[in-house]
Amino acid sequence: IIRGPGSEKLKQIVQKQIENITKFDPSKIPHWKGGPGDYPSVKRKTTQILKHLGMEDIVNITLAEPAADQSLSYTLWKRQNEFVLAAFTLNFVGGQPSVFIREYSSDDSGGWKCFKAIVTHFESPANRAAAITHLMGQLTALIYSNCSNYSMVQHLTKFQGFIQDLNDSGHVTDDT
């Protein structure tokens, strides 16, 4: 419940956020087949997009689930969760994420719970090790020559992406 000085302005802002959710494009969330090797970059990109859209609460897995009521803030929470779940359903195909999407599809906080379950699953020690192994294999296979079908800039961008994914997976890289 929003009360106090400036509460009308705050209500208008929350109502505008609720209306704007329908204008967001769920296809902006990266496509993912559910593999542990792709998880670090998918999480990073998804988190950036959701924060940019004003959905910081969805990516905060330590947040307590709000109580269901008729308030505008709960309505906003519910609409954000509907959007996130629709975006995940559209873009996360296969693997463990599909199981989580089905599990939380009928829940008012389904998007948040699904995101939380995905993070918890893929950031377990075993899955982090699998991601690091997968990424090291991709990094080892990354070769650039004058016969490559892509530019040096694209090659370096791909290399930087692998290094960032390794760092996000908890692998400590050094300068060598």
Side-chain angles (χ1 to χ4, degrees):
I1 299 174
I2 303 171
R3 294 188 189 133
S7 63
E8 283 305 313
K9 181 69 174 167
L10 188 57
K11 285 180 185 177
Q12 290 173 355
I13 291 170
V14 171
Q15 191 63 42
K16 185 73 172 166
Q17 286 178 321
I18 292 169
E19 292 169 11
N20 284 340
I21 290 174
T22 59
K23 298 175 186 172
F24 296 153
D25 184 7
S27 66
K28 299 290 185 197
I29 301 293
H31 186 76
W32 183 33
K33 293 183 181 176
D38 300 327
Y39 168 75
S41 62
V42 169
K43 181 192 176 205
R44 185 174 55 253
K45 292 172 186 172
T46 301
T47 301
Q48 288 172 347
I49 291 167
L50 292 176
K51 283 183 176 181
H52 176 72
L53 295 176
M55 298 187 195
E56 294 88 4
D57 290 345
I58 300 294
V59 298
N60 183 358
I61 62 170
T62 60
L63 186 72
E65 184 178 0
D69 57 21
Q70 301 300 317
S71 68
L72 274 178
S73 57
Y74 185 75
T75 303
L76 176 62
W77 170 260
K78 189 175 170 183
R79 292 293 297 275
Q80 287 175 337
N81 275 278
E82 289 169 359
F83 170 81
V84 169
L85 204 54
F88 286 178
T89 302
L90 178 67
N91 296 298
F92 293 0
V93 293
Q96 193 63 34
S98 296
V99 174
F100 295 135
I101 291 167
R102 280 192 304 273
E103 184 176 343
Y104 299 114
S105 63
S106 62
D107 196 313
D108 282 351
S109 297
W112 174 73
K113 287 181 178 178
C114 186
F115 186 82
K116 184 177 179 177
I118 289 170
V119 169
T120 303
H121 175 77
F122 282 96
E123 292 188 4
S124 69
N127 281 317
R128 280 184 178 233
I132 290 169
T133 302
H134 177 76
L135 290 164
M136 290 298 282
Q138 286 184 314
L139 191 58
T140 304
L142 188 63
I143 298 171
Y144 182 80
S145 74
N146 61 347
C147 298
S148 297
N149 289 339
Y150 48 89
S151 71
M152 178 59 93
V153 173
Q154 290 172 317
H155 175 78
L156 290 174
T157 301
K158 198 172 208 177
F159 180 80
Q160 288 172 333
F162 286 143
I163 296 299
Q164 183 63 46
D165 289 349
L166 282 168
N167 289 337
D168 290 347
S169 295
H171 180 74
V172 180
T173 55
D174 57 14
D175 293 335
T176 56

